[in-house]
Amino acid sequence: MDIQKILVTGRMFKELEKLALLDTKREYLFLPETEVSSNHFDWADGYVAFKPTESFHFGKLRWVHALGAGVDAFLHNRAWKEDVLLTRTVGSFGAKIGQYCLSYILADVQHHQKFQQYQTERLWQPSQQLLLQQLRIVIFGTGTIGMEVAKMLQTFGVTVYGISRSGAPIAHFDRVVSLKDANLLLAEADWVINTLPLTPMTDKLFDKHLFSCMQGAGFINVGRGASVDETALLEAVDLGQVRRAVLDVFQEEPLPAASPLWSHPNVTITPHISAVTGVDEAMDGLLAVLEDMDNGLERIRHSVDVSRGY
Ligand code: GLV
């Protein structure tokens, strides 16, 4: 694939300027999102960004590269132009998300909140903790991120179940079932982790029905906010179907100040930070794609299957 003129935007556009020094064959334009106009898409055949700008249109584009792992900002509710290649960043997201999840799971089994409270009351009140080896955790999504999370949890002795489209067995999961059989595993789950991308299939997947299959599980969302019906989640928390929710992604971001999620005692909110793209991994991903293009490869690394949405 012969790409010649690349428009680079997004929060790290400045740091990515060194790309032009590493790749002198191509012309580059580095701009903040606010300065990208419709005309730029009639100039560029390559576009590198976290998301489409307001002025985005396919114009002359033949390649789009997402600086994040998720590509829903590009694909969801948009008719993709068939001959435009979409690639994405596959960095250390699995490890970052795994450690994010582990931190909340450990804090929970070690009763951090409770002992913190006891300390303020000068209360000496021992209790026992569960071991990670006693936990059953269900991970929605067995792709690169889900599998990395599973691997980390399995290392600590957790029994890890996976939910995928096919339900086919995959490394680091003790058992995998397909989406339609998810309810079989949810009743026994100590934690449920969503790592799924947002696609038409996963839009509002976590609804009243799915939450009602849980019996006191903790729920961690590191996938996409739109996969969760937030009203149904709050109801499930109030009913005890979900014991605690740890949410990094939301239907609307930033989470509006009026959202009842902010103040719920059993909800933990983080501002979409479980796997932030680093400049080095963004650069590595881009260089890998450009190298494959230069080598005329048919299968370019980090390509997205647009029909699947990930
Ligand atoms: C973050 O959510 C990403 O898509 O990288």
Side-chain angles (χ1 to χ4, degrees), residues 11 50 66-72 88-89 93 97 145 222-224 248-249 253 272-277:
R11 69 173 154 79
F50 282 95
L67 289 170
V71 289
D72 50 291
R88 67 182 182 122
T89 306
F93 300 118
I97 287 182
I145 291 177
V222 284
R224 282 292 183 255
D248 188 47
V249 288
E253 296 179 11
H272 202 141
I273 46 71
S274 62
V276 175
T277 307

mmCIF file of all heavy atoms in Angstrom, residues 11 50 66-72 88-89 93 97 145 222-224 248-249 253 272-277, ligand 1:
data_model
loop_
_atom_site.group_PDB
_atom_site.id
_atom_site.type_symbol
_atom_site.label_atom_id
_atom_site.label_comp_id
_atom_site.label_asym_id
_atom_site.label_seq_id
_atom_site.Cartn_x
_atom_site.Cartn_y
_atom_site.Cartn_z
ATOM 1 N N ARG A 11 -3.848 14.298 20.942
ATOM 2 C CA ARG A 11 -3.112 14.947 22.033
ATOM 3 C C ARG A 11 -1.585 14.795 21.961
ATOM 4 O O ARG A 11 -0.862 15.593 22.537
ATOM 5 C CB ARG A 11 -3.632 14.481 23.401
ATOM 6 C CG ARG A 11 -3.315 13.043 23.720
ATOM 7 C CD ARG A 11 -3.675 12.650 25.139
ATOM 8 N NE ARG A 11 -3.938 11.233 25.237
ATOM 9 C CZ ARG A 11 -2.993 10.301 25.302
ATOM 10 N NH1 ARG A 11 -1.727 10.631 25.308
ATOM 11 N NH2 ARG A 11 -3.328 9.023 25.375
ATOM 12 N N PHE A 50 -6.521 9.758 17.535
ATOM 13 C CA PHE A 50 -7.300 8.958 18.483
ATOM 14 C C PHE A 50 -8.737 8.804 18.008
ATOM 15 O O PHE A 50 -9.402 7.828 18.301
ATOM 16 C CB PHE A 50 -7.292 9.608 19.873
ATOM 17 C CG PHE A 50 -6.009 9.359 20.625
ATOM 18 C CD1 PHE A 50 -4.987 10.282 20.598
ATOM 19 C CD2 PHE A 50 -5.823 8.180 21.333
ATOM 20 C CE1 PHE A 50 -3.794 10.043 21.266
ATOM 21 C CE2 PHE A 50 -4.643 7.930 22.013
ATOM 22 C CZ PHE A 50 -3.624 8.867 21.979
ATOM 23 N N ALA A 66 -5.557 4.312 14.285
ATOM 24 C CA ALA A 66 -6.057 4.749 15.591
ATOM 25 C C ALA A 66 -4.923 4.700 16.613
ATOM 26 O O ALA A 66 -4.248 3.677 16.736
ATOM 27 C CB ALA A 66 -7.192 3.842 16.035
ATOM 28 N N LEU A 67 -4.743 5.778 17.351
ATOM 29 C CA LEU A 67 -3.675 5.818 18.355
ATOM 30 C C LEU A 67 -4.057 5.067 19.634
ATOM 31 O O LEU A 67 -3.204 4.764 20.458
ATOM 32 C CB LEU A 67 -3.302 7.264 18.675
ATOM 33 C CG LEU A 67 -2.540 7.985 17.548
ATOM 34 C CD1 LEU A 67 -2.428 9.475 17.826
ATOM 35 C CD2 LEU A 67 -1.158 7.368 17.346
ATOM 36 N N GLY A 68 -5.335 4.775 19.788
ATOM 37 C CA GLY A 68 -5.775 3.978 20.934
ATOM 38 C C GLY A 68 -6.013 2.531 20.501
ATOM 39 O O GLY A 68 -5.868 2.182 19.327
ATOM 40 N N ALA A 69 -6.404 1.712 21.497
ATOM 41 C CA ALA A 69 -6.702 0.309 21.194
ATOM 42 C C ALA A 69 -8.095 0.187 20.591
ATOM 43 O O ALA A 69 -8.333 -0.606 19.681
ATOM 44 C CB ALA A 69 -6.612 -0.512 22.464
ATOM 45 N N GLY A 70 -9.016 1.009 21.097
ATOM 46 C CA GLY A 70 -10.399 0.937 20.644
ATOM 47 C C GLY A 70 -10.583 1.726 19.350
ATOM 48 O O GLY A 70 -9.988 2.785 19.175
ATOM 49 N N VAL A 71 -11.403 1.197 18.440
ATOM 50 C CA VAL A 71 -11.626 1.891 17.170
ATOM 51 C C VAL A 71 -13.088 2.295 17.002
ATOM 52 O O VAL A 71 -13.516 2.702 15.927
ATOM 53 C CB VAL A 71 -11.178 1.028 15.961
ATOM 54 C CG1 VAL A 71 -9.652 0.930 15.926
ATOM 55 C CG2 VAL A 71 -11.804 -0.354 16.006
ATOM 56 N N ASP A 72 -13.864 2.192 18.091
ATOM 57 C CA ASP A 72 -15.290 2.515 17.986
ATOM 58 C C ASP A 72 -15.519 3.970 17.595
ATOM 59 O O ASP A 72 -16.495 4.289 16.924
ATOM 60 C CB ASP A 72 -16.028 2.192 19.297
ATOM 61 C CG ASP A 72 -15.316 2.774 20.498
ATOM 62 O OD1 ASP A 72 -14.219 2.299 20.825
ATOM 63 O OD2 ASP A 72 -15.851 3.730 21.097
ATOM 64 N N ARG A 88 -4.679 -0.091 14.250
ATOM 65 C CA ARG A 88 -4.823 0.478 15.593
ATOM 66 C C ARG A 88 -3.546 0.215 16.388
ATOM 67 O O ARG A 88 -2.640 -0.474 15.924
ATOM 68 C CB ARG A 88 -6.025 -0.143 16.296
ATOM 69 C CG ARG A 88 -5.804 -1.611 16.587
ATOM 70 C CD ARG A 88 -7.021 -2.236 17.234
ATOM 71 N NE ARG A 88 -6.769 -3.637 17.552
ATOM 72 C CZ ARG A 88 -6.851 -4.158 18.755
ATOM 73 N NH1 ARG A 88 -7.188 -3.402 19.777
ATOM 74 N NH2 ARG A 88 -6.602 -5.425 18.968
ATOM 75 N N THR A 89 -3.512 0.736 17.591
ATOM 76 C CA THR A 89 -2.343 0.555 18.443
ATOM 77 C C THR A 89 -2.540 -0.691 19.299
ATOM 78 O O THR A 89 -3.578 -0.833 19.948
ATOM 79 C CB THR A 89 -2.166 1.795 19.338
ATOM 80 O OG1 THR A 89 -2.139 2.940 18.478
ATOM 81 C CG2 THR A 89 -0.888 1.731 20.133
ATOM 82 N N PHE A 93 -1.484 -2.468 26.534
ATOM 83 C CA PHE A 93 -2.800 -2.238 27.152
ATOM 84 C C PHE A 93 -3.226 -3.393 28.051
ATOM 85 O O PHE A 93 -3.817 -3.183 29.102
ATOM 86 C CB PHE A 93 -3.863 -2.015 26.081
ATOM 87 C CG PHE A 93 -3.580 -0.830 25.204
ATOM 88 C CD1 PHE A 93 -3.384 -0.990 23.845
ATOM 89 C CD2 PHE A 93 -3.474 0.437 25.742
ATOM 90 C CE1 PHE A 93 -3.102 0.098 23.037
ATOM 91 C CE2 PHE A 93 -3.194 1.532 24.948
ATOM 92 C CZ PHE A 93 -3.007 1.365 23.592
ATOM 93 N N ILE A 97 -4.182 -2.837 31.854
ATOM 94 C CA ILE A 97 -5.551 -3.120 32.309
ATOM 95 C C ILE A 97 -5.545 -4.244 33.342
ATOM 96 O O ILE A 97 -6.275 -4.198 34.337
ATOM 97 C CB ILE A 97 -6.462 -3.423 31.097
ATOM 98 C CG1 ILE A 97 -6.722 -2.109 30.347
ATOM 99 C CG2 ILE A 97 -7.759 -4.097 31.517
ATOM 100 C CD1 ILE A 97 -7.647 -2.223 29.161
ATOM 101 N N ILE A 145 -6.406 -7.992 24.836
ATOM 102 C CA ILE A 145 -6.490 -7.407 26.183
ATOM 103 C C ILE A 145 -7.029 -8.431 27.181
ATOM 104 O O ILE A 145 -6.419 -8.698 28.215
ATOM 105 C CB ILE A 145 -7.320 -6.106 26.170
ATOM 106 C CG1 ILE A 145 -6.544 -5.024 25.404
ATOM 107 C CG2 ILE A 145 -7.644 -5.639 27.592
ATOM 108 C CD1 ILE A 145 -7.241 -3.707 25.238
ATOM 109 N N VAL A 222 -13.612 -1.955 31.853
ATOM 110 C CA VAL A 222 -12.450 -1.334 31.210
ATOM 111 C C VAL A 222 -12.598 -1.415 29.685
ATOM 112 O O VAL A 222 -11.644 -1.209 28.956
ATOM 113 C CB VAL A 222 -11.129 -2.017 31.654
ATOM 114 C CG1 VAL A 222 -10.738 -1.589 33.049
ATOM 115 C CG2 VAL A 222 -11.245 -3.533 31.560
ATOM 116 N N GLY A 223 -13.826 -1.763 29.249
ATOM 117 C CA GLY A 223 -14.096 -1.861 27.807
ATOM 118 C C GLY A 223 -14.585 -0.517 27.299
ATOM 119 O O GLY A 223 -13.803 0.415 27.126
ATOM 120 N N ARG A 224 -15.888 -0.428 27.099
ATOM 121 C CA ARG A 224 -16.488 0.832 26.682
ATOM 122 C C ARG A 224 -17.764 1.080 27.486
ATOM 123 O O ARG A 224 -18.529 0.154 27.767
ATOM 124 C CB ARG A 224 -16.831 0.800 25.191
ATOM 125 C CG ARG A 224 -15.627 0.996 24.284
ATOM 126 C CD ARG A 224 -15.058 2.412 24.393
ATOM 127 N NE ARG A 224 -13.944 2.668 23.493
ATOM 128 C CZ ARG A 224 -12.660 2.742 23.864
ATOM 129 N NH1 ARG A 224 -12.309 2.552 25.118
ATOM 130 N NH2 ARG A 224 -11.720 3.027 22.978
ATOM 131 N N ASP A 248 -14.167 2.513 34.595
ATOM 132 C CA ASP A 248 -13.162 3.398 33.993
ATOM 133 C C ASP A 248 -13.708 4.073 32.737
ATOM 134 O O ASP A 248 -13.100 5.013 32.230
ATOM 135 C CB ASP A 248 -11.903 2.583 33.648
ATOM 136 C CG ASP A 248 -10.741 3.458 33.206
ATOM 137 O OD1 ASP A 248 -10.481 4.471 33.889
ATOM 138 O OD2 ASP A 248 -10.098 3.148 32.185
ATOM 139 N N VAL A 249 -14.820 3.567 32.241
ATOM 140 C CA VAL A 249 -15.397 4.094 30.994
ATOM 141 C C VAL A 249 -16.909 4.287 31.170
ATOM 142 O O VAL A 249 -17.544 3.564 31.937
ATOM 143 C CB VAL A 249 -15.121 3.132 29.815
ATOM 144 C CG1 VAL A 249 -13.659 3.175 29.410
ATOM 145 C CG2 VAL A 249 -15.528 1.710 30.149
ATOM 146 N N GLU A 253 -18.434 10.734 28.373
ATOM 147 C CA GLU A 253 -17.177 11.108 29.036
ATOM 148 C C GLU A 253 -16.804 12.530 28.661
ATOM 149 O O GLU A 253 -16.940 12.898 27.490
ATOM 150 C CB GLU A 253 -16.056 10.145 28.623
ATOM 151 C CG GLU A 253 -16.327 8.723 29.096
ATOM 152 C CD GLU A 253 -15.247 7.720 28.695
ATOM 153 O OE1 GLU A 253 -14.171 8.149 28.232
ATOM 154 O OE2 GLU A 253 -15.489 6.519 28.840
ATOM 155 N N HIS A 272 -11.131 7.107 32.741
ATOM 156 C CA HIS A 272 -10.650 6.457 31.507
ATOM 157 C C HIS A 272 -9.106 6.437 31.468
ATOM 158 O O HIS A 272 -8.492 6.971 30.544
ATOM 159 C CB HIS A 272 -11.217 7.187 30.274
ATOM 160 C CG HIS A 272 -11.233 6.325 29.037
ATOM 161 N ND1 HIS A 272 -12.240 6.327 28.110
ATOM 162 C CD2 HIS A 272 -10.335 5.421 28.558
ATOM 163 C CE1 HIS A 272 -11.977 5.479 27.138
ATOM 164 N NE2 HIS A 272 -10.819 4.907 27.390
ATOM 165 N N ILE A 273 -8.534 5.845 32.515
ATOM 166 C CA ILE A 273 -7.060 5.846 32.624
ATOM 167 C C ILE A 273 -6.478 4.438 32.738
ATOM 168 O O ILE A 273 -5.277 4.289 32.955
ATOM 169 C CB ILE A 273 -6.584 6.660 33.853
ATOM 170 C CG1 ILE A 273 -7.382 6.326 35.124
ATOM 171 C CG2 ILE A 273 -6.643 8.141 33.572
ATOM 172 C CD1 ILE A 273 -7.159 5.008 35.750
ATOM 173 N N SER A 274 -7.319 3.407 32.597
ATOM 174 C CA SER A 274 -6.783 2.062 32.853
ATOM 175 C C SER A 274 -5.746 1.657 31.816
ATOM 176 O O SER A 274 -4.902 0.809 32.086
ATOM 177 C CB SER A 274 -7.909 1.033 32.938
ATOM 178 O OG SER A 274 -8.610 0.966 31.726
ATOM 179 N N ALA A 275 -5.775 2.253 30.634
ATOM 180 C CA ALA A 275 -4.753 1.919 29.621
ATOM 181 C C ALA A 275 -4.559 3.113 28.693
ATOM 182 O O ALA A 275 -5.080 3.151 27.586
ATOM 183 C CB ALA A 275 -5.176 0.698 28.826
ATOM 184 N N VAL A 276 -3.802 4.073 29.175
ATOM 185 C CA VAL A 276 -3.547 5.261 28.368
ATOM 186 C C VAL A 276 -2.387 4.960 27.407
ATOM 187 O O VAL A 276 -1.374 4.391 27.814
ATOM 188 C CB VAL A 276 -3.180 6.453 29.296
ATOM 189 C CG1 VAL A 276 -2.794 7.670 28.487
ATOM 190 C CG2 VAL A 276 -4.359 6.765 30.223
ATOM 191 N N THR A 277 -2.547 5.335 26.144
ATOM 192 C CA THR A 277 -1.485 5.091 25.156
ATOM 193 C C THR A 277 -0.261 5.940 25.481
ATOM 194 O O THR A 277 -0.366 7.160 25.640
ATOM 195 C CB THR A 277 -1.958 5.485 23.741
ATOM 196 O OG1 THR A 277 -3.196 4.836 23.467
ATOM 197 C CG2 THR A 277 -0.933 5.089 22.683
HETATM 198 C C1 GLV B 1 -8.592 3.554 25.252
HETATM 199 O O1 GLV B 1 -9.684 3.390 25.678
HETATM 200 C C2 GLV B 1 -8.133 3.099 23.970
HETATM 201 O O2 GLV B 1 -8.964 2.806 23.100
HETATM 202 O O3 GLV B 1 -6.912 2.987 23.809
#
